[in-house]
Amino acid sequence: MNAKKPPVPVPLLMLIGIVAISFSSIFIKWSSAPASVQGMYRLLFTSLLMLPFARPYSGAAFALRRKDWLLLGFSGMMLALHFLLWMGSLKFTSVASSTMIMALEPVFIMIGCYVLYKEKSTLSAIAGLGIAIFGTVFIGWGDIGLSPDNVKGDLLSIGGTAAVAVHMMVGQRLVSRMPSYLYSLILFISASIVFAVYNVLAGIPFFDYPPKEWGIFVLLAVVPTVFGHILFNWLMQYVSATTVSMNILGEPVGASILAFLLLGEKLNGLQWTGGLLVMAGLAVYLYAGRKKTLGIEDSLPSAS
């Protein structure tokens, strides 16, 4: 970790980042556009914001091998699938349930790393995994009492979390041999292309949306991405990976508060219990010292 200090105090920047990413699900709830359109324009507009700063990485782009480009395309496809499922989940379930389930991303990565790379975990990490999964069961149990649609939303969120975990594991290999900024840019472009193809095949219009929707598309690109995830990546030069990765815990809390204030969403007792268990399990996991797995989360663009 670099010993130099940022121009603004780190705690304030962390708070700004957590609030910014917490608005992601609120913007999605406010939009009536299909999830695939929201995802496409969020990634496209983010790419356009990044392009003016990409020139120093042109040499690294030309040095990429064919295998790298194929993996980048696959990673982009998984990111698009994540957005499609997770954004879709918010049409059915609450912000709190969806974001708390999505916070299980490190757990999915830990399982995937064990299956694919035989990476072993500490007993503390496994205990955290168990607590977090138990909490997810409580969230689903609480949602069953509300509506079948809520359970459908929970399942979509689980699918989206699994997709982004695959995307992160692929990215682990790629970012080790290319600049993370270049990876992020190509990833966002490829994922937006996947969305464009999906929308064409599904017959979903590209442009027939009112000004309000276009404003939300821009906000999705600027607020949770630039002032959220890109800010967190920039903070990596000043603070440890574990510190930055604590935003995993901050987003569901912040999003739940915003959903209560702006959307009037409330949680029942089972949902609160499940959410607290998920947060507790993730806290145990993060403090268990899984630096390699957490390094994937922190060095690549998170996807909420």
PDB file of all heavy atoms in Angstrom, residues 132-159:
ATOM      1  N   ALA A 132     -23.430 -16.677   6.057  1.00  0.00           N
ATOM      2  CA  ALA A 132     -24.013 -15.852   4.994  1.00  0.00           C
ATOM      3  C   ALA A 132     -25.080 -16.625   4.215  1.00  0.00           C
ATOM      4  O   ALA A 132     -26.143 -16.083   3.894  1.00  0.00           O
ATOM      5  CB  ALA A 132     -22.921 -15.356   4.048  1.00  0.00           C
ATOM      6  N   ILE A 133     -24.814 -17.883   3.898  1.00  0.00           N
ATOM      7  CA  ILE A 133     -25.794 -18.691   3.169  1.00  0.00           C
ATOM      8  C   ILE A 133     -27.042 -18.915   4.027  1.00  0.00           C
ATOM      9  O   ILE A 133     -28.179 -18.859   3.537  1.00  0.00           O
ATOM     10  CB  ILE A 133     -25.167 -20.030   2.742  1.00  0.00           C
ATOM     11  CG1 ILE A 133     -24.107 -19.797   1.657  1.00  0.00           C
ATOM     12  CG2 ILE A 133     -26.240 -20.999   2.245  1.00  0.00           C
ATOM     13  CD1 ILE A 133     -23.382 -21.051   1.218  1.00  0.00           C
ATOM     14  N   PHE A 134     -26.837 -19.143   5.309  1.00  0.00           N
ATOM     15  CA  PHE A 134     -27.969 -19.305   6.227  1.00  0.00           C
ATOM     16  C   PHE A 134     -28.824 -18.040   6.235  1.00  0.00           C
ATOM     17  O   PHE A 134     -30.049 -18.097   6.249  1.00  0.00           O
ATOM     18  CB  PHE A 134     -27.443 -19.615   7.631  1.00  0.00           C
ATOM     19  CG  PHE A 134     -28.505 -20.071   8.595  1.00  0.00           C
ATOM     20  CD1 PHE A 134     -29.300 -21.169   8.303  1.00  0.00           C
ATOM     21  CD2 PHE A 134     -28.704 -19.398   9.791  1.00  0.00           C
ATOM     22  CE1 PHE A 134     -30.274 -21.595   9.196  1.00  0.00           C
ATOM     23  CE2 PHE A 134     -29.673 -19.814  10.687  1.00  0.00           C
ATOM     24  CZ  PHE A 134     -30.459 -20.916  10.391  1.00  0.00           C
ATOM     25  N   GLY A 135     -28.150 -16.885   6.192  1.00  0.00           N
ATOM     26  CA  GLY A 135     -28.867 -15.617   6.137  1.00  0.00           C
ATOM     27  C   GLY A 135     -29.686 -15.478   4.869  1.00  0.00           C
ATOM     28  O   GLY A 135     -30.812 -14.943   4.885  1.00  0.00           O
ATOM     29  N   THR A 136     -29.148 -15.957   3.750  1.00  0.00           N
ATOM     30  CA  THR A 136     -29.879 -15.900   2.481  1.00  0.00           C
ATOM     31  C   THR A 136     -31.158 -16.723   2.541  1.00  0.00           C
ATOM     32  O   THR A 136     -32.194 -16.332   1.989  1.00  0.00           O
ATOM     33  CB  THR A 136     -28.990 -16.420   1.335  1.00  0.00           C
ATOM     34  OG1 THR A 136     -27.762 -15.704   1.329  1.00  0.00           O
ATOM     35  CG2 THR A 136     -29.671 -16.236  -0.008  1.00  0.00           C
ATOM     36  N   VAL A 137     -31.090 -17.867   3.222  1.00  0.00           N
ATOM     37  CA  VAL A 137     -32.284 -18.696   3.404  1.00  0.00           C
ATOM     38  C   VAL A 137     -33.358 -17.919   4.166  1.00  0.00           C
ATOM     39  O   VAL A 137     -34.551 -17.957   3.824  1.00  0.00           O
ATOM     40  CB  VAL A 137     -31.926 -19.994   4.155  1.00  0.00           C
ATOM     41  CG1 VAL A 137     -33.192 -20.779   4.498  1.00  0.00           C
ATOM     42  CG2 VAL A 137     -30.989 -20.855   3.317  1.00  0.00           C
ATOM     43  N   PHE A 138     -32.937 -17.161   5.176  1.00  0.00           N
ATOM     44  CA  PHE A 138     -33.888 -16.359   5.942  1.00  0.00           C
ATOM     45  C   PHE A 138     -34.518 -15.272   5.077  1.00  0.00           C
ATOM     46  O   PHE A 138     -35.714 -14.998   5.184  1.00  0.00           O
ATOM     47  CB  PHE A 138     -33.184 -15.711   7.144  1.00  0.00           C
ATOM     48  CG  PHE A 138     -33.302 -16.510   8.414  1.00  0.00           C
ATOM     49  CD1 PHE A 138     -32.487 -17.607   8.628  1.00  0.00           C
ATOM     50  CD2 PHE A 138     -34.238 -16.174   9.375  1.00  0.00           C
ATOM     51  CE1 PHE A 138     -32.582 -18.349   9.790  1.00  0.00           C
ATOM     52  CE2 PHE A 138     -34.359 -16.910  10.542  1.00  0.00           C
ATOM     53  CZ  PHE A 138     -33.534 -18.007  10.757  1.00  0.00           C
ATOM     54  N   ILE A 139     -33.704 -14.642   4.224  1.00  0.00           N
ATOM     55  CA  ILE A 139     -34.246 -13.613   3.330  1.00  0.00           C
ATOM     56  C   ILE A 139     -35.309 -14.210   2.412  1.00  0.00           C
ATOM     57  O   ILE A 139     -36.396 -13.656   2.244  1.00  0.00           O
ATOM     58  CB  ILE A 139     -33.123 -12.975   2.495  1.00  0.00           C
ATOM     59  CG1 ILE A 139     -32.179 -12.168   3.400  1.00  0.00           C
ATOM     60  CG2 ILE A 139     -33.699 -12.060   1.405  1.00  0.00           C
ATOM     61  CD1 ILE A 139     -30.953 -11.636   2.686  1.00  0.00           C
ATOM     62  N   GLY A 140     -34.981 -15.359   1.805  1.00  0.00           N
ATOM     63  CA  GLY A 140     -35.941 -16.035   0.933  1.00  0.00           C
ATOM     64  C   GLY A 140     -37.194 -16.467   1.681  1.00  0.00           C
ATOM     65  O   GLY A 140     -38.310 -16.347   1.163  1.00  0.00           O
ATOM     66  N   TRP A 141     -37.012 -16.952   2.902  1.00  0.00           N
ATOM     67  CA  TRP A 141     -38.140 -17.373   3.721  1.00  0.00           C
ATOM     68  C   TRP A 141     -39.055 -16.185   4.011  1.00  0.00           C
ATOM     69  O   TRP A 141     -40.277 -16.279   3.932  1.00  0.00           O
ATOM     70  CB  TRP A 141     -37.612 -17.983   5.021  1.00  0.00           C
ATOM     71  CG  TRP A 141     -38.647 -18.687   5.860  1.00  0.00           C
ATOM     72  CD1 TRP A 141     -39.973 -18.902   5.558  1.00  0.00           C
ATOM     73  CD2 TRP A 141     -38.423 -19.267   7.139  1.00  0.00           C
ATOM     74  NE1 TRP A 141     -40.583 -19.571   6.577  1.00  0.00           N
ATOM     75  CE2 TRP A 141     -39.668 -19.823   7.567  1.00  0.00           C
ATOM     76  CE3 TRP A 141     -37.313 -19.393   7.964  1.00  0.00           C
ATOM     77  CZ2 TRP A 141     -39.801 -20.461   8.795  1.00  0.00           C
ATOM     78  CZ3 TRP A 141     -37.455 -20.035   9.186  1.00  0.00           C
ATOM     79  CH2 TRP A 141     -38.685 -20.560   9.587  1.00  0.00           C
ATOM     80  N   GLY A 142     -38.445 -15.059   4.329  1.00  0.00           N
ATOM     81  CA  GLY A 142     -39.236 -13.856   4.581  1.00  0.00           C
ATOM     82  C   GLY A 142     -39.963 -13.383   3.344  1.00  0.00           C
ATOM     83  O   GLY A 142     -41.099 -12.894   3.422  1.00  0.00           O
ATOM     84  N   ASP A 143     -39.330 -13.530   2.170  1.00  0.00           N
ATOM     85  CA  ASP A 143     -39.957 -13.090   0.922  1.00  0.00           C
ATOM     86  C   ASP A 143     -41.101 -13.997   0.494  1.00  0.00           C
ATOM     87  O   ASP A 143     -42.038 -13.553  -0.173  1.00  0.00           O
ATOM     88  CB  ASP A 143     -38.914 -13.020  -0.199  1.00  0.00           C
ATOM     89  CG  ASP A 143     -38.056 -11.772  -0.088  1.00  0.00           C
ATOM     90  OD1 ASP A 143     -38.472 -10.841   0.613  1.00  0.00           O
ATOM     91  OD2 ASP A 143     -36.972 -11.728  -0.704  1.00  0.00           O
ATOM     92  N   ILE A 144     -41.041 -15.282   0.881  1.00  0.00           N
ATOM     93  CA  ILE A 144     -42.122 -16.206   0.537  1.00  0.00           C
ATOM     94  C   ILE A 144     -43.436 -15.721   1.126  1.00  0.00           C
ATOM     95  O   ILE A 144     -44.503 -15.812   0.517  1.00  0.00           O
ATOM     96  CB  ILE A 144     -41.796 -17.634   1.037  1.00  0.00           C
ATOM     97  CG1 ILE A 144     -40.673 -18.239   0.185  1.00  0.00           C
ATOM     98  CG2 ILE A 144     -43.036 -18.527   0.983  1.00  0.00           C
ATOM     99  CD1 ILE A 144     -40.196 -19.592   0.677  1.00  0.00           C
ATOM    100  N   GLY A 145     -43.361 -15.155   2.325  1.00  0.00           N
ATOM    101  CA  GLY A 145     -44.558 -14.665   2.987  1.00  0.00           C
ATOM    102  C   GLY A 145     -45.124 -13.405   2.361  1.00  0.00           C
ATOM    103  O   GLY A 145     -46.237 -12.994   2.695  1.00  0.00           O
ATOM    104  N   LEU A 146     -44.380 -12.779   1.477  1.00  0.00           N
ATOM    105  CA  LEU A 146     -44.841 -11.544   0.853  1.00  0.00           C
ATOM    106  C   LEU A 146     -45.507 -11.803  -0.492  1.00  0.00           C
ATOM    107  O   LEU A 146     -46.635 -11.403  -0.727  1.00  0.00           O
ATOM    108  CB  LEU A 146     -43.657 -10.581   0.674  1.00  0.00           C
ATOM    109  CG  LEU A 146     -42.969 -10.112   1.955  1.00  0.00           C
ATOM    110  CD1 LEU A 146     -41.766  -9.236   1.606  1.00  0.00           C
ATOM    111  CD2 LEU A 146     -43.950  -9.330   2.829  1.00  0.00           C
ATOM    112  N   SER A 147     -44.781 -12.473  -1.412  1.00  0.00           N
ATOM    113  CA  SER A 147     -45.316 -12.698  -2.752  1.00  0.00           C
ATOM    114  C   SER A 147     -44.410 -13.678  -3.495  1.00  0.00           C
ATOM    115  O   SER A 147     -43.193 -13.671  -3.294  1.00  0.00           O
ATOM    116  CB  SER A 147     -45.372 -11.365  -3.503  1.00  0.00           C
ATOM    117  OG  SER A 147     -45.533 -11.576  -4.878  1.00  0.00           O
ATOM    118  N   PRO A 148     -45.009 -14.518  -4.365  1.00  0.00           N
ATOM    119  CA  PRO A 148     -44.176 -15.395  -5.202  1.00  0.00           C
ATOM    120  C   PRO A 148     -43.198 -14.602  -6.073  1.00  0.00           C
ATOM    121  O   PRO A 148     -42.114 -15.085  -6.394  1.00  0.00           O
ATOM    122  CB  PRO A 148     -45.199 -16.150  -6.052  1.00  0.00           C
ATOM    123  CG  PRO A 148     -46.463 -16.103  -5.260  1.00  0.00           C
ATOM    124  CD  PRO A 148     -46.441 -14.786  -4.554  1.00  0.00           C
ATOM    125  N   ASP A 149     -43.598 -13.372  -6.459  1.00  0.00           N
ATOM    126  CA  ASP A 149     -42.709 -12.540  -7.267  1.00  0.00           C
ATOM    127  C   ASP A 149     -41.426 -12.195  -6.510  1.00  0.00           C
ATOM    128  O   ASP A 149     -40.359 -12.084  -7.113  1.00  0.00           O
ATOM    129  CB  ASP A 149     -43.425 -11.250  -7.685  1.00  0.00           C
ATOM    130  CG  ASP A 149     -44.345 -11.456  -8.880  1.00  0.00           C
ATOM    131  OD1 ASP A 149     -44.236 -12.520  -9.518  1.00  0.00           O
ATOM    132  OD2 ASP A 149     -45.162 -10.569  -9.153  1.00  0.00           O
ATOM    133  N   ASN A 150     -41.539 -11.999  -5.194  1.00  0.00           N
ATOM    134  CA  ASN A 150     -40.353 -11.695  -4.401  1.00  0.00           C
ATOM    135  C   ASN A 150     -39.352 -12.835  -4.451  1.00  0.00           C
ATOM    136  O   ASN A 150     -38.141 -12.617  -4.555  1.00  0.00           O
ATOM    137  CB  ASN A 150     -40.741 -11.405  -2.951  1.00  0.00           C
ATOM    138  CG  ASN A 150     -41.384 -10.048  -2.779  1.00  0.00           C
ATOM    139  OD1 ASN A 150     -42.460  -9.792  -3.302  1.00  0.00           O
ATOM    140  ND2 ASN A 150     -40.724  -9.162  -2.061  1.00  0.00           N
ATOM    141  N   VAL A 151     -39.852 -14.066  -4.396  1.00  0.00           N
ATOM    142  CA  VAL A 151     -38.968 -15.237  -4.473  1.00  0.00           C
ATOM    143  C   VAL A 151     -38.331 -15.316  -5.849  1.00  0.00           C
ATOM    144  O   VAL A 151     -37.144 -15.639  -5.986  1.00  0.00           O
ATOM    145  CB  VAL A 151     -39.750 -16.526  -4.160  1.00  0.00           C
ATOM    146  CG1 VAL A 151     -38.829 -17.739  -4.266  1.00  0.00           C
ATOM    147  CG2 VAL A 151     -40.358 -16.442  -2.760  1.00  0.00           C
ATOM    148  N   LYS A 152     -39.109 -15.010  -6.893  1.00  0.00           N
ATOM    149  CA  LYS A 152     -38.566 -14.983  -8.257  1.00  0.00           C
ATOM    150  C   LYS A 152     -37.431 -13.963  -8.342  1.00  0.00           C
ATOM    151  O   LYS A 152     -36.381 -14.240  -8.938  1.00  0.00           O
ATOM    152  CB  LYS A 152     -39.660 -14.631  -9.254  1.00  0.00           C
ATOM    153  CG  LYS A 152     -39.198 -14.566 -10.705  1.00  0.00           C
ATOM    154  CD  LYS A 152     -40.346 -14.233 -11.644  1.00  0.00           C
ATOM    155  CE  LYS A 152     -39.876 -14.148 -13.092  1.00  0.00           C
ATOM    156  NZ  LYS A 152     -41.006 -13.829 -14.016  1.00  0.00           N
ATOM    157  N   GLY A 153     -37.628 -12.802  -7.733  1.00  0.00           N
ATOM    158  CA  GLY A 153     -36.586 -11.791  -7.721  1.00  0.00           C
ATOM    159  C   GLY A 153     -35.343 -12.262  -6.980  1.00  0.00           C
ATOM    160  O   GLY A 153     -34.219 -12.008  -7.411  1.00  0.00           O
ATOM    161  N   ASP A 154     -35.538 -12.962  -5.863  1.00  0.00           N
ATOM    162  CA  ASP A 154     -34.398 -13.501  -5.107  1.00  0.00           C
ATOM    163  C   ASP A 154     -33.598 -14.489  -5.954  1.00  0.00           C
ATOM    164  O   ASP A 154     -32.362 -14.482  -5.946  1.00  0.00           O
ATOM    165  CB  ASP A 154     -34.880 -14.195  -3.831  1.00  0.00           C
ATOM    166  CG  ASP A 154     -35.467 -13.218  -2.813  1.00  0.00           C
ATOM    167  OD1 ASP A 154     -35.258 -12.005  -2.977  1.00  0.00           O
ATOM    168  OD2 ASP A 154     -36.129 -13.678  -1.867  1.00  0.00           O
ATOM    169  N   LEU A 155     -34.303 -15.349  -6.688  1.00  0.00           N
ATOM    170  CA  LEU A 155     -33.630 -16.338  -7.534  1.00  0.00           C
ATOM    171  C   LEU A 155     -32.858 -15.658  -8.668  1.00  0.00           C
ATOM    172  O   LEU A 155     -31.745 -16.074  -9.009  1.00  0.00           O
ATOM    173  CB  LEU A 155     -34.647 -17.330  -8.100  1.00  0.00           C
ATOM    174  CG  LEU A 155     -35.310 -18.263  -7.073  1.00  0.00           C
ATOM    175  CD1 LEU A 155     -36.398 -19.102  -7.732  1.00  0.00           C
ATOM    176  CD2 LEU A 155     -34.268 -19.161  -6.406  1.00  0.00           C
ATOM    177  N   LEU A 156     -33.446 -14.605  -9.241  1.00  0.00           N
ATOM    178  CA  LEU A 156     -32.740 -13.855 -10.284  1.00  0.00           C
ATOM    179  C   LEU A 156     -31.477 -13.207  -9.724  1.00  0.00           C
ATOM    180  O   LEU A 156     -30.425 -13.189 -10.373  1.00  0.00           O
ATOM    181  CB  LEU A 156     -33.656 -12.784 -10.882  1.00  0.00           C
ATOM    182  CG  LEU A 156     -34.773 -13.269 -11.797  1.00  0.00           C
ATOM    183  CD1 LEU A 156     -35.718 -12.119 -12.144  1.00  0.00           C
ATOM    184  CD2 LEU A 156     -34.198 -13.880 -13.073  1.00  0.00           C
ATOM    185  N   SER A 157     -31.569 -12.683  -8.505  1.00  0.00           N
ATOM    186  CA  SER A 157     -30.401 -12.065  -7.874  1.00  0.00           C
ATOM    187  C   SER A 157     -29.303 -13.092  -7.610  1.00  0.00           C
ATOM    188  O   SER A 157     -28.117 -12.814  -7.801  1.00  0.00           O
ATOM    189  CB  SER A 157     -30.806 -11.386  -6.565  1.00  0.00           C
ATOM    190  OG  SER A 157     -29.722 -10.666  -6.010  1.00  0.00           O
ATOM    191  N   ILE A 158     -29.704 -14.291  -7.195  1.00  0.00           N
ATOM    192  CA  ILE A 158     -28.722 -15.365  -6.980  1.00  0.00           C
ATOM    193  C   ILE A 158     -28.039 -15.719  -8.298  1.00  0.00           C
ATOM    194  O   ILE A 158     -26.821 -15.882  -8.362  1.00  0.00           O
ATOM    195  CB  ILE A 158     -29.403 -16.611  -6.367  1.00  0.00           C
ATOM    196  CG1 ILE A 158     -29.831 -16.323  -4.918  1.00  0.00           C
ATOM    197  CG2 ILE A 158     -28.471 -17.822  -6.411  1.00  0.00           C
ATOM    198  CD1 ILE A 158     -30.667 -17.429  -4.292  1.00  0.00           C
ATOM    199  N   GLY A 159     -28.828 -15.829  -9.376  1.00  0.00           N
ATOM    200  CA  GLY A 159     -28.251 -16.112 -10.687  1.00  0.00           C
ATOM    201  C   GLY A 159     -27.306 -15.018 -11.139  1.00  0.00           C
ATOM    202  O   GLY A 159     -26.228 -15.282 -11.687  1.00  0.00           O
TER     203      GLY A 159
END
